[in-house]
Amino acid sequence: MATILITGISGQDGSYLAEQLREEGHAVVGLLRKGRTAPARRVDGVEYAEWDFSDVAALCGLLQSLRPAAFYNLAAFSTGAGMYDDAVAIGEFNGIAVARMLQAIVETNASIRFCQASSSEMFGDPLDAPQHEATPFRPQSPYGAAKLFAHTAIRACRERHGAFACSAILYNHESPRRGPAFVTRKIADAVARIHAGDREPLPLGNLEARRDWGYAPDYVRAMRLMLAQDRADDYVVATGQLHSVREFCEVAFSHAGLDYRDWVKDNAADLRHDARGPLVGDAARARDRLGWRPTKDFEALVRLMVDASIASLAAKDSMS
């Protein structure tokens, strides 16, 4: 079986990808930023290496010693609301570091298949909806701009050097492993604690904000399918359906026998003024070429996250 290199292995996508690959018998190496510890959620059999994300020669040495067949870059610098924080670091880590990865591949072994976790934030304030691979990019944040730099570098590397490099233009995707700073996880965790007897309400910003939300393991599967093709290309990965934060709250709270209107309170501090056009993806290329389709709809995803938060809280309570 092949050796696969993954950055961002401590995040939700990285952990799901590592599990899927290990189940098939592949050797998986998590590439950690120098000085970072291995993730708390360990996948059996995964090994780890370090790279500071700035030294091309050091990465070339790693590629020569590890000899990976594929390289997934899932690492990104941001939080759910942090797409504007520290523009220099965002540009360096989410943009320029990807160019270094591509340079190392070209200099070491151009047959390594590369997949970049790109972002719908590249569309920014889109001219059209739904967005597809040919929709003009109009990033509105340093995060989106850095992702677009990486996306452009991937296309240039593919066309100039013949590298097998793909960009997965991922729309919002969630799971029980989503970080606690993201609104979907905040809602699921709030439902769990209120269900357990907590009386503290949940403060939220714009309940009318709408997103194209999918299930993270489905999106990881799409990236794997991209690298299994005969020809490298870029793909939008999305459900094609928009749902509001209010809808997420309604489904989440009702799943636990609660009415969100009793528990969700307006919080001006969390209000993000977002006058952009709708970010909703057209995944026709992924359906037609990859045979990819989501396995969970919106309501199933929300219920899954709530059930996981309730179970996690109950486990913590039983240990205390």
Side-chain angles (χ1 to χ4, degrees):
M1 289 294 178
T3 296
I4 313 296
L5 194 59
I6 304 173
T7 69
I9 198 167
S10 60
Q12 68 166 359
D13 294 2
S15 65
Y16 285 121
L17 176 59
E19 287 176 355
Q20 291 180 15
L21 292 168
R22 287 297 299 150
E23 286 173 2
E24 294 185 358
H26 296 293
V28 175
V29 179
L31 187 56
L32 304 175
R33 196 174 183 182
K34 195 165 246 184
R36 297 289 180 90
T37 58
R41 182 188 295 109
R42 297 287 196 99
V43 177
D44 288 344
V46 170
E47 298 182 0
Y48 299 94
E50 287 189 346
W51 180 51
D52 67 3
F53 283 69
S54 66
D55 188 340
V56 174
L59 182 57
C60 286
L62 279 172
L63 296 181
Q64 288 170 344
S65 63
L66 296 172
R67 302 176 63 84
F71 186 158
Y72 291 85
N73 179 41
L74 311 183
F77 179 78
S78 179
T79 65
M83 292 183 293
Y84 299 85
D85 301 338
D86 198 345
V88 173
I90 288 173
E92 174 73 25
F93 194 75
N94 297 351
I96 296 173
V98 179
R100 294 188 182 109
M101 295 174 196
L102 295 169
Q103 182 179 340
I105 287 172
V106 170
E107 291 182 3
T108 305
N109 181 0
S111 69
I112 296 172
R113 297 194 168 204
F114 182 82
C115 185
Q116 160 75 357
S118 200
S119 172
S120 61
E121 288 297 325
M122 296 188 304
F123 294 117
D125 185 10
L127 295 172
D128 302 304
Q131 296 86 46
H132 49 78
E133 292 81 5
T135 300
F137 296 116
R138 303 177 70 210
Q140 303 293 297
S141 67
Y143 181 90
K147 286 288 191 178
L148 180 54
F149 175 89
H151 179 84
T152 305
I154 287 165
R155 178 170 294 179
C157 187
R158 193 165 63 220
E159 294 176 356
R160 182 174 180 82
H161 299 289
F164 197 106
C166 301
S167 181
I169 306 173
L170 306 176
Y171 282 67
N172 292 63
H173 49 290
E174 317 298 319
S175 77
R177 299 180 187 177
R178 188 53 132 163
F182 289 82
V183 67
T184 52
R185 177 68 182 278
K186 286 181 180 179
I187 295 168
D189 286 351
V191 171
R193 63 173 175 76
I194 292 168
H195 179 264
D198 193 309
R199 301 292 91 183
E200 189 69 23
L202 169 65
L204 288 177
N206 183 11
L207 293 180
E208 305 311 322
R210 304 171 77 211
R211 295 290 182 267
D212 183 337
W213 275 305
Y215 181 46
D218 285 340
Y219 287 42
V220 166
R221 178 168 50 86
M223 288 189 279
R224 294 188 61 201
L225 288 169
M226 291 178 202
L227 294 197
Q229 303 306 301
D230 293 332
R231 181 171 66 89
D233 209 339
D234 306 324
Y235 295 87
V236 164
V237 184
T239 70
Q241 298 182 359
L242 282 171
H243 294 278
S244 67
V245 175
R246 186 181 301 278
E247 289 176 82
F248 199 106
C249 289
E250 185 174 10
V251 175
F253 278 83
S254 64
H255 184 56
L258 301 164
D259 188 332
Y260 82 96
R261 292 170 294 187
D262 296 331
W263 300 102
V264 176
K265 306 302 178 186
D266 291 335
N267 181 23
D270 286 341
L271 188 61
R272 293 166 64 185
H273 299 283
D274 192 349
R276 301 180 301 173
L279 280 175
V280 55
D282 177 1
R285 178 182 290 180
R287 289 195 304 270
D288 295 344
R289 295 188 188 175
L290 308 179
W292 178 85
R293 282 174 176 77
T295 64
K296 291 191 184 299
D297 62 19
F298 173 73
E299 292 192 0
L301 169 62
V302 177
R303 292 193 295 266
L304 176 71
M305 292 185 69
V306 169
D307 287 342
S309 289
I310 290 174
S312 177
L313 183 59
K316 289 178 183 176
D317 289 344
S318 68
M319 295 175 63
S320 60

